[in-house]
Amino acid sequence: MATKKKKSKPTASKKRRPLRFSRQNKIILGSLLIFLSIALFFSFVSFYFTWQDDQSLLTEFANRNEQAKNLLNKFGASVSHYIMYRGFGLSSLIIPFLLSLTGLYLFLSLPLRNLWNKWIWGLVLLIWISIALGFFADDQPLLGGLVGYEMNDFLQDYTGKIGVFLILLFMLTIILVRLFKLTPEGVARFFKSKSASVAADFKKSQPEAQESLREDEETEVILDTYTHKKDIPHLDPSAEETKVEAGKADSADDEIAMEVNTVTDEKEESDLLSDKLVADFGEFDPTLELSNYKFPHLDLLDPHGSSGGITINQEELEENKNKIVETLKNYKIGIAQIKATIGPTVTLYEIVPDAGIRISKIKNLEDDIALSLAALGIRIIAPIPGKGTIGIEVPNKKATTVSMRSVIASSKFQKAEMQLPIAFGKTISNETFVVDLAKMPHLLMAGATGQGKSVGLNAVLTSLLYKKHPAEVKFILVDPKKVELTLYNKIERHYLAKLPDSEEAIITDNTKVIHTLNSLCIEMDNRYELLKLAMVRNIKEYNAKFKARKLNPNDGHTYLPYIVLVIDEFADLIMTAGKEVETPIARLAQLARAIGIHLIIATQRPSVNVITGIIKANFPARIAFRVTSKIDSRTILDFQGADQLIGRGDMLFTQGNDITRIQCAFVDTPEVAKITDYIGSQRGYASAHLLPEYSGEDSGTGIDYDISERDAMFRDAAEVIVTAQQGSASLIQRKLKLGYNRAGRIIDQLEAAGIVGPFEGSKARAVLVPDIYTLEKMLNEETK
């Protein structure tokens, strides 16, 4: 008996063993196909020059004394005759291309599943070109081959020349739409961009009257240097030396003529070609399901400005400098040096006071300097962090609009190696300001009505749409006003996440907000459980491990996209829901960073009962647009200054240390509509990303299940719960490999049986049975 078992085991294992090429065999087979494709290419090209001379040798293939004029001799003449003359004619050149591509895939051990689509479309093009050449060159059968000639002749017998032409045109439409993703909008956009570029080139050729600076150039103007403490002469502009220094220029400001997905595409290609491919399948690619997804292009954004640069107004610089010097002179404050840094909307005047001058003395003159300059939004920074100077920020008389297009096109954003890069706009030194939301990790945004909050939110969302694939990030959008975020409904199946029972992806109802926040807490707990099982610390390490195929999907592991929760008007939620909203938000803010859930909260009423201490403690990154009082500024930033901004996107940003003044990039509603239309017109997922189910506080209470209606996995689930002493549906889902809905029903049945306690929000239910012995006793008594 033992001998028989030994003999049967190898046979069984052989039957189960899948057919798989080794790495060496793939290299050999790939090389063969590549060299064969080269031979066929030269044979086909040579055939058109030598076919008449070689025609008589086709029957003398075995005769070694006869030689053909084809570059590959009789082999080339014979193969070309059967494939090109009796086959598909000139379109046969597609065959060597497909063979070489297949050989390259085998040689580099690339996944072959990506190759089938190329073969199918290659053969479709082969047949279409053959028929088309047979139609347009029916007097020269060699161009379309006998296949094209005969098929064209056959079709004309039934449909005539016009019918064949219409059939060819219809097939061409299918090829252009399905293979090249051509749409009427795309064609119109192409001609529009071409006409716009011609107009722009013509405009650039015209001489400009004003001296302008390129975008992203930091411009410092040394206005004057004083060597005497008390005697400060009036300045003569004609005798003064003005020096313009161009510093830290972002090379990006000649608009990068490429789509935003270039960096991502290059990274994907390098990953495929690297030696770190796992097994025969390579690394897991989360973008594979939407592999044909196209990122939005720059032409969807408007330039918002003729020159796109900053104009230096020397008269304004001199006038402001003289007024500052005169005001300080009146209070007997001497200046050793003064220079100006020109930004899009604000100019920073940096002064070095004479020795012995107290900083507080200059700081107290804020209102006096504002009065002398007759300008709104004067802000004194005393001292500027990291510099031995005092800064006086003065708004420009003619502000420059910072377009979202210029910020997205900048190399600083294009080359940003960040998890969730956000381009807010430009700093006072005209540099593109890019930060990583994943490192903030949450953002609080506040400001009075009409000062730029909605534009700021659109800038955040636009940045992520231009940089991240739909598989990498999901948005949960809460819009109590019901009008600000509705445009993003079009990208529901690409970028949005929602509750399973929700009809609309944009959340406008307060009850839905509470359910969504609690559902997000459940998602957070589930993700932490996955991180614990994977023995990693954060989402970046987890996804890297999953891509390397070191985590088994059968154990519940999956690729985790980043989730960004955006709440447009937080004050309205606090008024109507209070603690029901504040508690889950505080819990998410405290714990959700490591597992890739990030919060962006905006409000127009920055009072202490809206932005509470719990909220502020967990939102170190804050943005303040213009507010009406110093108290509101302190509530948001813990500093004064937001009340002195000039509005229209002028904002202060802090991440817990220094404060940076930024002009927020302007992205208009029609631009957002074009971006969402472009994304929404592409193939998306079957539905929005679904969050875990949440049934509310009354879930499971008062439910009574008959024993006969219990799930078939009820006993197994009860044993899992009692053994782990943790009553959660996600535990049953992972251990028994069930769907979430079925696991939720089993939890309700366990509650009705008295094995677990009632629902307690995002916490796990209490387990009421202490051990397996007690559980067995309880279940046996029920069946008696």
Side-chain angles (χ1 to χ4, degrees):
M1 294 295 289
T3 315
K4 285 182 182 177
K5 284 182 182 176
K6 282 181 183 176
K7 286 182 181 177
S8 63
K9 275 185 182 177
T11 7
S13 63
K14 281 179 184 175
K15 286 181 182 177
R16 287 194 299 268
R17 184 179 300 164
L19 180 63
R20 183 174 293 176
F21 288 106
S22 65
R23 172 72 172 150
Q24 291 85 354
N25 289 338
K26 284 184 177 180
I27 293 173
I28 293 169
L29 184 57
S31 304
L32 174 63
L33 291 176
I34 290 171
F35 294 137
L36 178 61
S37 66
I38 294 171
L40 290 176
F41 176 78
F42 283 110
S43 300
F44 293 169
V45 172
S46 176
F47 176 74
Y48 274 96
F49 301 97
T50 63
W51 69 276
Q52 290 178 330
D53 296 327
D54 295 340
Q55 195 76 9
S56 59
L57 298 175
L58 295 175
T59 57
E60 301 290 336
F61 189 85
N63 189 352
R64 295 182 61 183
N65 295 323
E66 296 290 340
Q67 298 294 314
K69 291 188 177 181
N70 191 288
L71 289 176
L72 271 84
N73 212 320
K74 285 185 284 188
F75 167 79
S78 301
V79 170
S80 301
H81 175 76
Y82 286 106
I83 295 179
M84 298 198 74
Y85 180 74
R86 293 194 174 183
F88 303 97
L90 195 61
S91 64
S92 300
L93 289 169
I94 293 174
I95 294 174
F97 171 76
L98 293 173
L99 286 175
S100 64
L101 194 64
T102 307
L104 191 65
Y105 267 66
L106 287 168
F107 189 84
L108 299 175
S109 292
L110 301 180
L112 294 178
R113 60 180 177 273
N114 299 330
L115 195 61
W116 297 113
N117 194 43
K118 295 176 176 59
W119 267 96
I120 291 169
W121 283 110
L123 295 176
V124 169
L125 283 172
L126 178 78
I127 295 169
W128 184 85
I129 294 172
S130 177
I131 298 173
L133 289 173
F135 176 79
F136 291 105
D138 53 356
D139 56 335
Q140 296 180 358
L142 194 62
L143 289 177
L146 284 179
V147 171
Y149 181 81
E150 292 295 341
M151 288 187 71
N152 176 62
D153 193 48
F154 172 77
L155 290 172
Q156 284 194 29
D157 288 342
Y158 288 94
T159 62
K161 276 188 172 294
I162 295 177
V164 176
F165 179 76
L166 293 175
I167 290 170
L168 288 171
L169 204 60
F170 177 66
M171 289 177 65
L172 179 63
T173 304
I174 294 174
I175 293 169
L176 292 175
V177 171
R178 297 303 299 271
L179 181 59
F180 298 104
K181 310 297 180 188
L182 194 67
T183 60
E185 295 82 3
V187 175
R189 191 164 50 244
F190 172 78
F191 286 110
K192 185 179 178 182
S193 64
K194 286 296 179 186
S195 61
S197 64
V198 171
D201 291 341
F202 176 77
K203 198 167 187 179
K204 283 180 183 176
S205 64
Q206 303 298 319
E208 293 189 4
Q210 290 183 319
E211 178 188 3
S212 64
L213 300 176
R214 292 169 53 191
E215 291 183 48
D216 275 10
E217 276 190 342
E218 178 181 337
T219 308
E220 293 183 353
V221 180
I222 309 298
L223 295 175
D224 207 342
T225 303
Y226 298 95
T227 54
H228 301 288
K229 295 181 180 179
K230 294 182 181 177
D231 186 20
I232 303 177
H234 289 279
L235 300 172
D236 182 8
S238 62
E240 184 183 22
E241 293 184 2
T242 303
K243 178 179 164 189
V244 178
E245 300 177 357
K248 304 179 186 176
D250 249 345
S251 60
D253 305 333
D254 305 328
E255 280 186 359
I256 299 173
M258 64 177 178
E259 291 191 4
V260 183
N261 60 336
T262 305
V263 179
T264 310
D265 291 341
E266 288 176 0
K267 186 176 185 302
E268 288 174 359
E269 289 176 7
S270 64
D271 287 342
L272 285 173
L273 297 172
S274 69
D275 295 330
K276 297 180 181 178
L277 294 175
V278 182
D280 289 330
F281 296 101
E283 287 194 349
F284 172 76
D285 183 7
T287 66
L288 194 60
E289 190 175 347
L290 295 184
S291 56
N292 293 325
Y293 174 79
K294 301 292 183 186
F295 282 81
H297 49 81
L298 291 175
D299 291 336
L300 298 172
L301 296 168
D302 297 330
H304 291 300
S306 53
S307 64
I310 295 175
T311 302
I312 298 178
N313 190 328
Q314 291 288 353
E315 292 182 4
E316 184 181 345
L317 287 177
E318 291 298 326
E319 184 182 352
N320 288 339
K321 177 203 67 175
N322 291 335
K323 288 179 179 178
I324 291 171
V325 170
E326 190 68 32
T327 304
L328 295 176
K329 178 186 175 184
N330 293 337
Y331 291 92
K332 299 180 180 178
I333 297 174
I335 301 174
Q337 181 180 316
I338 181 170
K339 68 176 181 178
T341 303
I342 305 162
T345 54
V346 176
T347 298
L348 173 66
Y349 294 86
E350 292 183 61
I351 60 175
V352 179
D354 287 336
I357 301 295
R358 298 181 65 180
I359 291 176
S360 59
K361 192 174 181 181
I362 299 176
K363 180 69 176 172
N364 293 334
L365 294 176
E366 192 170 52
D367 293 336
D368 299 281
I369 295 173
L371 179 65
S372 67
L373 293 172
L376 174 69
I378 300 292
R379 199 169 75 99
I380 294 181
I381 312 166
I384 296 176
K387 295 184 179 181
T389 59
I390 295 170
I392 302 174
E393 294 176 350
V394 181
N396 299 334
K397 289 181 180 177
K398 185 180 180 182
T400 303
T401 302
V402 177
S403 67
M404 197 69 202
R405 175 173 179 148
S406 65
V407 172
I408 293 291
S410 68
S411 64
K412 195 167 186 179
F413 179 76
Q414 293 271 343
K415 297 177 182 177
E417 294 294 331
M418 300 177 180
Q419 299 302 310
L420 296 172
I422 295 174
F424 279 119
K426 298 205 173 186
T427 64
I428 202 168
S429 56
N430 202 36
E431 288 183 273
T432 301
F433 189 79
V434 183
V435 288
D436 191 356
L437 178 61
K439 291 183 179 178
M440 288 186 188
H442 311 292
L443 177 63
L444 178 63
M445 191 182 292
T449 305
Q451 302 304 316
K453 288 190 310 303
S454 297
V455 174
L457 286 177
N458 284 330
V460 170
L461 294 172
T462 301
S463 300
L464 295 175
L465 291 177
Y466 265 87
K467 199 71 173 175
K468 307 306 288 184
H469 190 274
E472 297 173 318
V473 65
K474 301 295 178 184
F475 301 115
I476 300 174
L477 304 181
V478 178
D479 183 14
K481 290 190 280 188
K482 304 181 181 181
V483 292
E484 295 292 346
L485 302 174
T486 50
L487 286 173
Y488 295 96
N489 261 323
K490 300 169 187 174
I491 60 172
E492 175 181 340
R493 293 187 299 112
H494 296 82
Y495 282 100
L496 300 191
K498 66 177 184 178
L499 292 171
D501 58 341
S502 295
E503 294 181 3
E504 294 290 334
I506 310 293
I507 306 164
T508 56
D509 180 39
N510 287 346
T511 307
K512 289 284 186 186
V513 175
I514 297 167
H515 287 187
T516 302
L517 292 174
N518 282 285
S519 173
L520 209 50
C521 288
I522 297 171
E523 174 72 14
M524 178 181 71
D525 294 335
N526 291 344
R527 288 190 172 200
Y528 267 117
E529 186 67 25
L530 291 175
L531 261 62
K532 184 182 79 171
L533 295 174
M535 292 183 289
V536 293
R537 296 179 58 195
N538 54 52
I539 188 175
K540 187 177 179 181
E541 295 175 7
Y542 178 89
N543 282 337
K545 206 168 183 179
F546 187 83
K547 284 181 179 180
R549 301 187 185 275
K550 295 178 181 177
L551 300 174
N552 192 345
N554 292 329
D555 296 334
H557 291 292
T558 183
Y559 181 81
L560 300 178
Y562 285 91
I563 296 178
V564 180
L565 170 66
V566 179
I567 301 178
D568 186 31
E569 188 43 72
F570 185 60
D572 183 67
L573 295 180
I574 290 293
M575 284 178 60
T576 54
K579 290 290 182 184
E580 289 183 284
V581 166
E582 187 180 359
T583 302
I585 281 183
R587 188 162 183 263
L588 288 167
Q590 289 167 350
L591 300 173
R593 172 181 184 173
I595 43 84
I597 298 177
H598 302 279
L599 281 60
I600 300 174
I601 292 176
T603 181
Q604 64 182 9
R605 211 172 69 241
S607 55
V608 290
N609 60 337
V610 174
I611 304 175
T612 62
I614 296 175
I615 297 295
K616 287 180 68 175
N618 295 293
F619 284 77
R622 301 172 201 165
I623 285 177
F625 292 92
R626 188 168 183 265
V627 293
T628 53
S629 68
K630 287 182 171 60
I631 297 173
D632 288 346
S633 178
R634 285 191 173 276
T635 304
I636 307 165
L637 301 172
D638 296 329
F639 296 99
Q640 292 182 12
D643 55 310
Q644 297 165 321
L645 299 174
I646 59 175
R648 296 178 63 84
D650 190 17
M651 70 185 206
L652 297 176
F653 173 82
T654 179
Q655 208 163 341
N657 38 35
D658 299 337
I659 291 183
T660 307
R661 191 167 184 175
I662 303 165
Q663 178 59 42
C664 184
F666 179 64
V667 52
D668 206 359
T669 304
E671 296 174 75
V672 177
K674 285 190 284 186
I675 294 169
T676 53
D677 282 337
Y678 180 82
I679 296 172
S681 64
Q682 301 183 53
R683 186 176 73 85
Y685 296 104
S687 67
H689 182 78
L690 297 181
L691 298 171
E693 288 185 355
Y694 176 80
S695 305
E697 293 182 356
D698 298 330
S699 174
T701 57
I703 297 175
D704 188 18
Y705 285 92
D706 189 81
I707 295 177
S708 61
E709 295 178 357
R710 285 178 179 172
D711 194 280
M713 302 292 287
F714 175 82
R715 182 178 285 269
D716 294 334
E719 291 175 358
V720 168
I721 292 294
V722 172
T723 302
Q725 287 294 300
Q726 181 184 346
S728 70
S730 58
L731 178 65
I732 297 174
Q733 187 182 359
R734 287 195 309 275
K735 294 293 184 182
L736 301 181
K737 296 180 177 59
L738 302 177
Y740 195 88
N741 293 336
R742 187 178 178 186
R745 286 194 298 271
I746 294 176
I747 276 287
D748 290 339
Q749 293 170 8
L750 291 171
E751 181 189 352
I755 297 172
V756 298
F759 185 79
E760 296 181 17
S762 58
K763 295 181 182 178
R765 297 171 184 252
V767 182
L768 306 178
V769 179
D771 50 44
I772 292 292
Y773 174 77
T774 310
L775 174 67
E776 290 291 338
K777 187 178 178 181
M778 179 190 296
L779 295 178
N780 290 336
E781 287 177 356
E782 284 182 350
T783 55
K784 287 181 182 178

